[in-house]
PDB file of all heavy atoms in Angstrom:
ATOM      1  N   THR E  26      -2.077 -88.007 -40.682  1.00 95.00           N
ATOM      2  CA  THR E  26      -3.036 -86.902 -40.692  1.00 95.00           C
ATOM      3  C   THR E  26      -2.766 -86.052 -41.927  1.00 95.00           C
ATOM      4  O   THR E  26      -1.623 -85.684 -42.191  1.00 95.00           O
ATOM      5  CB  THR E  26      -2.886 -86.023 -39.429  1.00 95.00           C
ATOM      6  OG1 THR E  26      -3.117 -86.823 -38.271  1.00 95.00           O
ATOM      7  CG2 THR E  26      -3.874 -84.867 -39.444  1.00 95.00           C
ATOM      8  N   THR E  27      -3.797 -85.771 -42.707  1.00 93.00           N
ATOM      9  CA  THR E  27      -3.585 -84.918 -43.881  1.00 93.00           C
ATOM     10  C   THR E  27      -3.210 -83.518 -43.432  1.00 93.00           C
ATOM     11  O   THR E  27      -3.543 -83.088 -42.315  1.00 93.00           O
ATOM     12  CB  THR E  27      -4.847 -84.844 -44.762  1.00 93.00           C
ATOM     13  OG1 THR E  27      -5.879 -84.147 -44.039  1.00 93.00           O
ATOM     14  CG2 THR E  27      -5.323 -86.234 -45.153  1.00 93.00           C
ATOM     15  N   ILE E  28      -2.538 -82.788 -44.287  1.00 93.00           N
ATOM     16  CA  ILE E  28      -2.122 -81.424 -43.943  1.00 93.00           C
ATOM     17  C   ILE E  28      -3.337 -80.524 -43.731  1.00 93.00           C
ATOM     18  O   ILE E  28      -3.344 -79.660 -42.851  1.00 93.00           O
ATOM     19  CB  ILE E  28      -1.187 -80.867 -45.022  1.00 93.00           C
ATOM     20  CG1 ILE E  28       0.164 -81.600 -44.951  1.00 93.00           C
ATOM     21  CG2 ILE E  28      -0.991 -79.363 -44.879  1.00 93.00           C
ATOM     22  CD1 ILE E  28       1.149 -81.214 -46.020  1.00 93.00           C
ATOM     23  N   ALA E  29      -4.394 -80.735 -44.514  1.00 91.00           N
ATOM     24  CA  ALA E  29      -5.607 -79.935 -44.323  1.00 91.00           C
ATOM     25  C   ALA E  29      -6.207 -80.168 -42.941  1.00 91.00           C
ATOM     26  O   ALA E  29      -6.600 -79.222 -42.246  1.00 91.00           O
ATOM     27  CB  ALA E  29      -6.628 -80.259 -45.411  1.00 91.00           C
ATOM     28  N   ASP E  30      -6.276 -81.442 -42.509  1.00 94.00           N
ATOM     29  CA  ASP E  30      -6.818 -81.749 -41.189  1.00 94.00           C
ATOM     30  C   ASP E  30      -5.893 -81.230 -40.083  1.00 94.00           C
ATOM     31  O   ASP E  30      -6.354 -80.735 -39.044  1.00 94.00           O
ATOM     32  CB  ASP E  30      -7.019 -83.259 -41.025  1.00 94.00           C
ATOM     33  CG  ASP E  30      -8.187 -83.781 -41.843  1.00 94.00           C
ATOM     34  OD1 ASP E  30      -9.023 -82.961 -42.265  1.00 94.00           O
ATOM     35  OD2 ASP E  30      -8.249 -85.008 -42.068  1.00 94.00           O
ATOM     36  N   PHE E  31      -4.584 -81.343 -40.309  1.00 96.00           N
ATOM     37  CA  PHE E  31      -3.621 -80.843 -39.317  1.00 96.00           C
ATOM     38  C   PHE E  31      -3.765 -79.333 -39.137  1.00 96.00           C
ATOM     39  O   PHE E  31      -3.705 -78.827 -38.016  1.00 96.00           O
ATOM     40  CB  PHE E  31      -2.199 -81.192 -39.771  1.00 96.00           C
ATOM     41  CG  PHE E  31      -1.124 -80.694 -38.846  1.00 96.00           C
ATOM     42  CD1 PHE E  31      -0.791 -81.403 -37.704  1.00 96.00           C
ATOM     43  CD2 PHE E  31      -0.438 -79.515 -39.118  1.00 96.00           C
ATOM     44  CE1 PHE E  31       0.201 -80.947 -36.841  1.00 96.00           C
ATOM     45  CE2 PHE E  31       0.546 -79.051 -38.276  1.00 96.00           C
ATOM     46  CZ  PHE E  31       0.876 -79.772 -37.131  1.00 96.00           C
ATOM     47  N   SER E  32      -3.972 -78.620 -40.241  1.00 94.00           N
ATOM     48  CA  SER E  32      -4.096 -77.165 -40.181  1.00 94.00           C
ATOM     49  C   SER E  32      -5.343 -76.721 -39.428  1.00 94.00           C
ATOM     50  O   SER E  32      -5.442 -75.558 -39.021  1.00 94.00           O
ATOM     51  CB  SER E  32      -4.110 -76.576 -41.596  1.00 94.00           C
ATOM     52  OG  SER E  32      -2.901 -76.876 -42.273  1.00 94.00           O
ATOM     53  N   ALA E  33      -6.292 -77.625 -39.257  1.00 94.00           N
ATOM     54  CA  ALA E  33      -7.516 -77.300 -38.532  1.00 94.00           C
ATOM     55  C   ALA E  33      -7.415 -77.634 -37.040  1.00 94.00           C
ATOM     56  O   ALA E  33      -8.343 -77.329 -36.274  1.00 94.00           O
ATOM     57  CB  ALA E  33      -8.701 -78.049 -39.148  1.00 94.00           C
ATOM     58  N   LYS E  34      -6.299 -78.232 -36.615  1.00 96.00           N
ATOM     59  CA  LYS E  34      -6.126 -78.595 -35.209  1.00 96.00           C
ATOM     60  C   LYS E  34      -5.880 -77.359 -34.337  1.00 96.00           C
ATOM     61  O   LYS E  34      -5.421 -76.322 -34.814  1.00 96.00           O
ATOM     62  CB  LYS E  34      -4.955 -79.568 -35.046  1.00 96.00           C
ATOM     63  CG  LYS E  34      -5.072 -80.865 -35.843  1.00 96.00           C
ATOM     64  CD  LYS E  34      -6.229 -81.722 -35.366  1.00 96.00           C
ATOM     65  CE  LYS E  34      -6.264 -83.042 -36.131  1.00 96.00           C
ATOM     66  NZ  LYS E  34      -7.415 -83.892 -35.734  1.00 96.00           N
ATOM     67  N   THR E  35      -6.191 -77.501 -33.058  1.00 96.00           N
ATOM     68  CA  THR E  35      -5.913 -76.438 -32.085  1.00 96.00           C
ATOM     69  C   THR E  35      -4.471 -76.574 -31.597  1.00 96.00           C
ATOM     70  O   THR E  35      -4.086 -77.655 -31.123  1.00 96.00           O
ATOM     71  CB  THR E  35      -6.869 -76.531 -30.889  1.00 96.00           C
ATOM     72  OG1 THR E  35      -8.219 -76.411 -31.365  1.00 96.00           O
ATOM     73  CG2 THR E  35      -6.591 -75.425 -29.881  1.00 96.00           C
ATOM     74  N   PRO E  36      -3.644 -75.524 -31.709  1.00 96.00           N
ATOM     75  CA  PRO E  36      -2.244 -75.633 -31.291  1.00 96.00           C
ATOM     76  C   PRO E  36      -2.106 -76.004 -29.813  1.00 96.00           C
ATOM     77  O   PRO E  36      -2.794 -75.444 -28.957  1.00 96.00           O
ATOM     78  CB  PRO E  36      -1.691 -74.223 -31.549  1.00 96.00           C
ATOM     79  CG  PRO E  36      -2.587 -73.659 -32.614  1.00 96.00           C
ATOM     80  CD  PRO E  36      -3.942 -74.216 -32.307  1.00 96.00           C
ATOM     81  N   ASN E  37      -1.242 -76.963 -29.543  1.00 95.00           N
ATOM     82  CA  ASN E  37      -0.890 -77.321 -28.153  1.00 95.00           C
ATOM     83  C   ASN E  37       0.401 -78.108 -28.175  1.00 95.00           C
ATOM     84  O   ASN E  37       0.876 -78.508 -29.239  1.00 95.00           O
ATOM     85  CB  ASN E  37      -2.015 -78.109 -27.477  1.00 95.00           C
ATOM     86  CG  ASN E  37      -2.251 -79.475 -28.096  1.00 95.00           C
ATOM     87  OD1 ASN E  37      -1.511 -80.414 -27.844  1.00 95.00           O
ATOM     88  ND2 ASN E  37      -3.293 -79.577 -28.934  1.00 95.00           N
ATOM     89  N   GLU E  38       0.979 -78.363 -27.012  1.00 94.00           N
ATOM     90  CA  GLU E  38       2.285 -79.022 -26.922  1.00 94.00           C
ATOM     91  C   GLU E  38       2.193 -80.477 -26.470  1.00 94.00           C
ATOM     92  O   GLU E  38       3.208 -81.086 -26.148  1.00 94.00           O
ATOM     93  CB  GLU E  38       3.199 -78.241 -25.972  1.00 94.00           C
ATOM     94  CG  GLU E  38       3.545 -76.849 -26.462  1.00 94.00           C
ATOM     95  CD  GLU E  38       4.545 -76.140 -25.565  1.00 94.00           C
ATOM     96  OE1 GLU E  38       4.841 -76.681 -24.461  1.00 94.00           O
ATOM     97  OE2 GLU E  38       5.045 -75.068 -25.956  1.00 94.00           O
ATOM     98  N   THR E  39       0.984 -81.041 -26.461  1.00 93.00           N
ATOM     99  CA  THR E  39       0.826 -82.412 -25.974  1.00 93.00           C
ATOM    100  C   THR E  39       0.404 -83.399 -27.050  1.00 93.00           C
ATOM    101  O   THR E  39       0.716 -84.589 -26.954  1.00 93.00           O
ATOM    102  CB  THR E  39      -0.194 -82.449 -24.825  1.00 93.00           C
ATOM    103  OG1 THR E  39      -1.446 -81.906 -25.292  1.00 93.00           O
ATOM    104  CG2 THR E  39       0.293 -81.626 -23.640  1.00 93.00           C
ATOM    105  N   ASP E  40      -0.319 -82.941 -28.061  1.00 95.00           N
ATOM    106  CA  ASP E  40      -0.806 -83.849 -29.105  1.00 95.00           C
ATOM    107  C   ASP E  40       0.184 -83.910 -30.272  1.00 95.00           C
ATOM    108  O   ASP E  40       0.581 -82.873 -30.797  1.00 95.00           O
ATOM    109  CB  ASP E  40      -2.170 -83.393 -29.619  1.00 95.00           C
ATOM    110  CG  ASP E  40      -3.244 -83.438 -28.546  1.00 95.00           C
ATOM    111  OD1 ASP E  40      -3.136 -84.296 -27.645  1.00 95.00           O
ATOM    112  OD2 ASP E  40      -4.169 -82.605 -28.592  1.00 95.00           O
ATOM    113  N   TRP E  41       0.545 -85.125 -30.659  1.00 95.00           N
ATOM    114  CA  TRP E  41       1.495 -85.326 -31.751  1.00 95.00           C
ATOM    115  C   TRP E  41       0.779 -85.956 -32.939  1.00 95.00           C
ATOM    116  O   TRP E  41      -0.106 -86.801 -32.773  1.00 95.00           O
ATOM    117  CB  TRP E  41       2.643 -86.242 -31.313  1.00 95.00           C
ATOM    118  CG  TRP E  41       3.535 -85.598 -30.291  1.00 95.00           C
ATOM    119  CD1 TRP E  41       3.275 -85.421 -28.963  1.00 95.00           C
ATOM    120  CD2 TRP E  41       4.830 -85.057 -30.522  1.00 95.00           C
ATOM    121  NE1 TRP E  41       4.328 -84.787 -28.353  1.00 95.00           N
ATOM    122  CE2 TRP E  41       5.302 -84.550 -29.280  1.00 95.00           C
ATOM    123  CE3 TRP E  41       5.642 -84.939 -31.644  1.00 95.00           C
ATOM    124  CZ2 TRP E  41       6.541 -83.945 -29.142  1.00 95.00           C
ATOM    125  CZ3 TRP E  41       6.891 -84.349 -31.505  1.00 95.00           C
ATOM    126  CH2 TRP E  41       7.327 -83.849 -30.274  1.00 95.00           C
ATOM    127  N   TYR E  42       1.178 -85.546 -34.155  1.00 96.00           N
ATOM    128  CA  TYR E  42       0.533 -86.016 -35.371  1.00 96.00           C
ATOM    129  C   TYR E  42       1.592 -86.457 -36.384  1.00 96.00           C
ATOM    130  O   TYR E  42       2.645 -85.816 -36.512  1.00 96.00           O
ATOM    131  CB  TYR E  42      -0.325 -84.908 -35.994  1.00 96.00           C
ATOM    132  CG  TYR E  42      -1.363 -84.339 -35.063  1.00 96.00           C
ATOM    133  CD1 TYR E  42      -1.080 -83.215 -34.287  1.00 96.00           C
ATOM    134  CD2 TYR E  42      -2.622 -84.922 -34.963  1.00 96.00           C
ATOM    135  CE1 TYR E  42      -2.030 -82.691 -33.426  1.00 96.00           C
ATOM    136  CE2 TYR E  42      -3.583 -84.392 -34.112  1.00 96.00           C
ATOM    137  CZ  TYR E  42      -3.282 -83.277 -33.340  1.00 96.00           C
ATOM    138  OH  TYR E  42      -4.217 -82.749 -32.491  1.00 96.00           O
ATOM    139  N   TYR E  43       1.273 -87.544 -37.114  1.00 95.00           N
ATOM    140  CA  TYR E  43       2.142 -87.987 -38.197  1.00 95.00           C
ATOM    141  C   TYR E  43       1.690 -87.323 -39.492  1.00 95.00           C
ATOM    142  O   TYR E  43       0.511 -87.338 -39.839  1.00 95.00           O
ATOM    143  CB  TYR E  43       2.092 -89.509 -38.346  1.00 95.00           C
ATOM    144  CG  TYR E  43       2.737 -90.250 -37.203  1.00 95.00           C
ATOM    145  CD1 TYR E  43       1.960 -90.841 -36.205  1.00 95.00           C
ATOM    146  CD2 TYR E  43       4.123 -90.346 -37.111  1.00 95.00           C
ATOM    147  CE1 TYR E  43       2.544 -91.514 -35.143  1.00 95.00           C
ATOM    148  CE2 TYR E  43       4.722 -91.024 -36.054  1.00 95.00           C
ATOM    149  CZ  TYR E  43       3.934 -91.595 -35.073  1.00 95.00           C
ATOM    150  OH  TYR E  43       4.524 -92.254 -34.023  1.00 95.00           O
ATOM    151  N   LEU E  44       2.630 -86.720 -40.203  1.00 96.00           N
ATOM    152  CA  LEU E  44       2.365 -86.061 -41.475  1.00 96.00           C
ATOM    153  C   LEU E  44       3.258 -86.679 -42.548  1.00 96.00           C
ATOM    154  O   LEU E  44       4.403 -87.055 -42.270  1.00 96.00           O
ATOM    155  CB  LEU E  44       2.655 -84.558 -41.387  1.00 96.00           C
ATOM    156  CG  LEU E  44       1.924 -83.766 -40.295  1.00 96.00           C
ATOM    157  CD1 LEU E  44       2.443 -82.331 -40.261  1.00 96.00           C
ATOM    158  CD2 LEU E  44       0.433 -83.782 -40.526  1.00 96.00           C
ATOM    159  N   LYS E  45       2.717 -86.767 -43.753  1.00 93.00           N
ATOM    160  CA  LYS E  45       3.497 -87.288 -44.875  1.00 93.00           C
ATOM    161  C   LYS E  45       3.315 -86.365 -46.068  1.00 93.00           C
ATOM    162  O   LYS E  45       2.188 -85.998 -46.412  1.00 93.00           O
ATOM    163  CB  LYS E  45       3.047 -88.697 -45.246  1.00 93.00           C
ATOM    164  CG  LYS E  45       3.829 -89.325 -46.401  1.00 93.00           C
ATOM    165  CD  LYS E  45       3.314 -90.713 -46.713  1.00 93.00           C
ATOM    166  CE  LYS E  45       4.083 -91.350 -47.866  1.00 93.00           C
ATOM    167  NZ  LYS E  45       3.573 -92.705 -48.194  1.00 93.00           N
ATOM    168  N   GLY E  46       4.417 -85.953 -46.665  1.00 89.00           N
ATOM    169  CA  GLY E  46       4.316 -85.070 -47.812  1.00 89.00           C
ATOM    170  C   GLY E  46       5.640 -84.913 -48.537  1.00 89.00           C
ATOM    171  O   GLY E  46       6.688 -85.381 -48.079  1.00 89.00           O
ATOM    172  N   THR E  47       5.579 -84.243 -49.659  1.00 86.00           N
ATOM    173  CA  THR E  47       6.767 -83.976 -50.463  1.00 86.00           C
ATOM    174  C   THR E  47       7.440 -82.704 -49.989  1.00 86.00           C
ATOM    175  O   THR E  47       6.769 -81.687 -49.767  1.00 86.00           O
ATOM    176  CB  THR E  47       6.381 -83.820 -51.946  1.00 86.00           C
ATOM    177  OG1 THR E  47       5.711 -84.997 -52.378  1.00 86.00           O
ATOM    178  CG2 THR E  47       7.614 -83.591 -52.807  1.00 86.00           C
ATOM    179  N   ILE E  48       8.739 -82.737 -49.825  1.00 89.00           N
ATOM    180  CA  ILE E  48       9.479 -81.532 -49.440  1.00 89.00           C
ATOM    181  C   ILE E  48       9.557 -80.613 -50.652  1.00 89.00           C
ATOM    182  O   ILE E  48      10.115 -80.978 -51.689  1.00 89.00           O
ATOM    183  CB  ILE E  48      10.898 -81.881 -48.953  1.00 89.00           C
ATOM    184  CG1 ILE E  48      10.836 -82.794 -47.724  1.00 89.00           C
ATOM    185  CG2 ILE E  48      11.683 -80.603 -48.617  1.00 89.00           C
ATOM    186  CD1 ILE E  48      12.194 -83.267 -47.238  1.00 89.00           C
ATOM    187  N   THR E  49       8.975 -79.422 -50.530  1.00 82.00           N
ATOM    188  CA  THR E  49       8.988 -78.469 -51.640  1.00 82.00           C
ATOM    189  C   THR E  49       9.997 -77.349 -51.434  1.00 82.00           C
ATOM    190  O   THR E  49      10.353 -76.663 -52.384  1.00 82.00           O
ATOM    191  CB  THR E  49       7.595 -77.855 -51.828  1.00 82.00           C
ATOM    192  OG1 THR E  49       7.192 -77.192 -50.617  1.00 82.00           O
ATOM    193  CG2 THR E  49       6.574 -78.931 -52.178  1.00 82.00           C
ATOM    194  N   LYS E  50      10.458 -77.163 -50.196  1.00 85.00           N
ATOM    195  CA  LYS E  50      11.395 -76.076 -49.920  1.00 85.00           C
ATOM    196  C   LYS E  50      12.125 -76.346 -48.615  1.00 85.00           C
ATOM    197  O   LYS E  50      11.523 -76.814 -47.655  1.00 85.00           O
ATOM    198  CB  LYS E  50      10.638 -74.743 -49.836  1.00 85.00           C
ATOM    199  CG  LYS E  50      11.524 -73.512 -49.755  1.00 85.00           C
ATOM    200  CD  LYS E  50      10.660 -72.252 -49.746  1.00 85.00           C
ATOM    201  CE  LYS E  50      11.528 -71.005 -49.717  1.00 85.00           C
ATOM    202  NZ  LYS E  50      10.692 -69.763 -49.670  1.00 85.00           N
ATOM    203  N   ILE E  51      13.422 -76.096 -48.590  1.00 91.00           N
ATOM    204  CA  ILE E  51      14.217 -76.195 -47.367  1.00 91.00           C
ATOM    205  C   ILE E  51      14.801 -74.817 -47.092  1.00 91.00           C
ATOM    206  O   ILE E  51      15.643 -74.325 -47.835  1.00 91.00           O
ATOM    207  CB  ILE E  51      15.339 -77.241 -47.490  1.00 91.00           C
ATOM    208  CG1 ILE E  51      14.737 -78.637 -47.722  1.00 91.00           C
ATOM    209  CG2 ILE E  51      16.210 -77.246 -46.232  1.00 91.00           C
ATOM    210  CD1 ILE E  51      15.766 -79.735 -47.923  1.00 91.00           C
ATOM    211  N   ASP E  52      14.327 -74.165 -46.017  1.00 90.00           N
ATOM    212  CA  ASP E  52      14.737 -72.795 -45.708  1.00 90.00           C
ATOM    213  C   ASP E  52      16.001 -72.723 -44.858  1.00 90.00           C
ATOM    214  O   ASP E  52      16.743 -71.748 -44.933  1.00 90.00           O
ATOM    215  CB  ASP E  52      13.605 -72.055 -44.973  1.00 90.00           C
ATOM    216  CG  ASP E  52      12.375 -71.897 -45.841  1.00 90.00           C
ATOM    217  OD1 ASP E  52      12.489 -71.266 -46.898  1.00 90.00           O
ATOM    218  OD2 ASP E  52      11.306 -72.404 -45.462  1.00 90.00           O
ATOM    219  N   ASN E  53      16.217 -73.732 -44.025  1.00 93.00           N
ATOM    220  CA  ASN E  53      17.355 -73.694 -43.111  1.00 93.00           C
ATOM    221  C   ASN E  53      17.861 -75.110 -42.898  1.00 93.00           C
ATOM    222  O   ASN E  53      17.129 -75.971 -42.406  1.00 93.00           O
ATOM    223  CB  ASN E  53      16.928 -73.065 -41.771  1.00 93.00           C
ATOM    224  CG  ASN E  53      18.092 -72.881 -40.815  1.00 93.00           C
ATOM    225  OD1 ASN E  53      18.682 -73.847 -40.354  1.00 93.00           O
ATOM    226  ND2 ASN E  53      18.416 -71.635 -40.519  1.00 93.00           N
ATOM    227  N   THR E  54      19.118 -75.363 -43.308  1.00 94.00           N
ATOM    228  CA  THR E  54      19.672 -76.716 -43.212  1.00 94.00           C
ATOM    229  C   THR E  54      20.286 -77.008 -41.854  1.00 94.00           C
ATOM    230  O   THR E  54      20.619 -78.158 -41.568  1.00 94.00           O
ATOM    231  CB  THR E  54      20.746 -76.921 -44.294  1.00 94.00           C
ATOM    232  OG1 THR E  54      21.751 -75.904 -44.163  1.00 94.00           O
ATOM    233  CG2 THR E  54      20.143 -76.846 -45.685  1.00 94.00           C
ATOM    234  N   GLU E  55      20.434 -75.994 -40.997  1.00 95.00           N
ATOM    235  CA  GLU E  55      20.979 -76.223 -39.653  1.00 95.00           C
ATOM    236  C   GLU E  55      19.882 -76.725 -38.712  1.00 95.00           C
ATOM    237  O   GLU E  55      20.060 -77.710 -38.000  1.00 95.00           O
ATOM    238  CB  GLU E  55      21.591 -74.937 -39.103  1.00 95.00           C
ATOM    239  CG  GLU E  55      22.213 -75.120 -37.715  1.00 95.00           C
ATOM    240  CD  GLU E  55      22.862 -73.856 -37.187  1.00 95.00           C
ATOM    241  OE1 GLU E  55      22.642 -72.777 -37.784  1.00 95.00           O
ATOM    242  OE2 GLU E  55      23.585 -73.936 -36.175  1.00 95.00           O
ATOM    243  N   TYR E  56      18.751 -76.038 -38.732  1.00 96.00           N
ATOM    244  CA  TYR E  56      17.657 -76.408 -37.838  1.00 96.00           C
ATOM    245  C   TYR E  56      16.602 -77.287 -38.527  1.00 96.00           C
ATOM    246  O   TYR E  56      15.752 -77.869 -37.863  1.00 96.00           O
ATOM    247  CB  TYR E  56      16.978 -75.159 -37.285  1.00 96.00           C
ATOM    248  CG  TYR E  56      17.845 -74.402 -36.306  1.00 96.00           C
ATOM    249  CD1 TYR E  56      18.649 -73.350 -36.728  1.00 96.00           C
ATOM    250  CD2 TYR E  56      17.875 -74.754 -34.960  1.00 96.00           C
ATOM    251  CE1 TYR E  56      19.451 -72.656 -35.831  1.00 96.00           C
ATOM    252  CE2 TYR E  56      18.669 -74.071 -34.054  1.00 96.00           C
ATOM    253  CZ  TYR E  56      19.458 -73.018 -34.503  1.00 96.00           C
ATOM    254  OH  TYR E  56      20.250 -72.340 -33.609  1.00 96.00           O
ATOM    255  N   GLY E  57      16.638 -77.358 -39.856  1.00 96.00           N
ATOM    256  CA  GLY E  57      15.664 -78.182 -40.555  1.00 96.00           C
ATOM    257  C   GLY E  57      14.322 -77.514 -40.750  1.00 96.00           C
ATOM    258  O   GLY E  57      13.277 -78.164 -40.639  1.00 96.00           O
ATOM    259  N   ASN E  58      14.332 -76.213 -41.061  1.00 96.00           N
ATOM    260  CA  ASN E  58      13.084 -75.515 -41.381  1.00 96.00           C
ATOM    261  C   ASN E  58      12.759 -75.763 -42.850  1.00 96.00           C
ATOM    262  O   ASN E  58      13.579 -75.488 -43.725  1.00 96.00           O
ATOM    263  CB  ASN E  58      13.218 -74.018 -41.123  1.00 96.00           C
ATOM    264  CG  ASN E  58      13.515 -73.706 -39.668  1.00 96.00           C
ATOM    265  OD1 ASN E  58      13.245 -74.516 -38.785  1.00 96.00           O
ATOM    266  ND2 ASN E  58      14.077 -72.550 -39.415  1.00 96.00           N
ATOM    267  N   LEU E  59      11.560 -76.271 -43.124  1.00 95.00           N
ATOM    268  CA  LEU E  59      11.204 -76.649 -44.489  1.00 95.00           C
ATOM    269  C   LEU E  59       9.698 -76.582 -44.684  1.00 95.00           C
ATOM    270  O   LEU E  59       8.944 -76.263 -43.762  1.00 95.00           O
ATOM    271  CB  LEU E  59      11.737 -78.054 -44.796  1.00 95.00           C
ATOM    272  CG  LEU E  59      11.444 -79.173 -43.770  1.00 95.00           C
ATOM    273  CD1 LEU E  59      10.118 -79.833 -44.066  1.00 95.00           C
ATOM    274  CD2 LEU E  59      12.564 -80.210 -43.778  1.00 95.00           C
ATOM    275  N   THR E  60       9.274 -76.883 -45.911  1.00 93.00           N
ATOM    276  CA  THR E  60       7.856 -76.929 -46.245  1.00 93.00           C
ATOM    277  C   THR E  60       7.554 -78.264 -46.902  1.00 93.00           C
ATOM    278  O   THR E  60       8.317 -78.735 -47.751  1.00 93.00           O
ATOM    279  CB  THR E  60       7.474 -75.788 -47.215  1.00 93.00           C
ATOM    280  OG1 THR E  60       7.773 -74.530 -46.609  1.00 93.00           O
ATOM    281  CG2 THR E  60       5.993 -75.829 -47.542  1.00 93.00           C
ATOM    282  N   ILE E  61       6.452 -78.886 -46.482  1.00 92.00           N
ATOM    283  CA  ILE E  61       6.010 -80.113 -47.131  1.00 92.00           C
ATOM    284  C   ILE E  61       4.580 -79.916 -47.629  1.00 92.00           C
ATOM    285  O   ILE E  61       3.853 -79.054 -47.124  1.00 92.00           O
ATOM    286  CB  ILE E  61       6.069 -81.339 -46.192  1.00 92.00           C
ATOM    287  CG1 ILE E  61       5.095 -81.176 -45.012  1.00 92.00           C
ATOM    288  CG2 ILE E  61       7.479 -81.580 -45.694  1.00 92.00           C
ATOM    289  CD1 ILE E  61       4.931 -82.440 -44.197  1.00 92.00           C
ATOM    290  N   GLU E  62       4.189 -80.710 -48.609  1.00 84.00           N
ATOM    291  CA  GLU E  62       2.822 -80.630 -49.097  1.00 84.00           C
ATOM    292  C   GLU E  62       2.314 -82.006 -49.493  1.00 84.00           C
ATOM    293  O   GLU E  62       3.085 -82.875 -49.895  1.00 84.00           O
ATOM    294  CB  GLU E  62       2.706 -79.668 -50.280  1.00 84.00           C
ATOM    295  CG  GLU E  62       3.447 -80.088 -51.522  1.00 84.00           C
ATOM    296  CD  GLU E  62       3.221 -79.119 -52.683  1.00 84.00           C
ATOM    297  OE1 GLU E  62       3.016 -77.920 -52.445  1.00 84.00           O
ATOM    298  OE2 GLU E  62       3.274 -79.589 -53.830  1.00 84.00           O
TER     299      GLU E  62
END
């Protein structure tokens, strides 16, 4: 799923999506908070 299409989804805890992108920033190495594009 493209990031643009993912951003248009309705938030919920049941639907899972595959995303692929380049890691541009890693904010937290313990929990793995990061940004992809």
Side-chain angles (χ1 to χ4, degrees):
T26 300
T27 67
I28 290 176
D30 288 343
F31 178 82
S32 299
K34 302 295 183 182
T35 301
N37 66 78
E38 295 185 351
T39 57
D40 296 330
W41 292 76
Y42 304 93
Y43 291 102
L44 304 174
K45 181 180 180 181
T47 303
I48 299 176
T49 59
K50 189 177 182 182
I51 298 177
D52 296 300
N53 185 294
T54 56
E55 182 178 12
Y56 290 94
N58 299 339
L59 49 88
T60 301
I61 64 170
E62 65 177 30

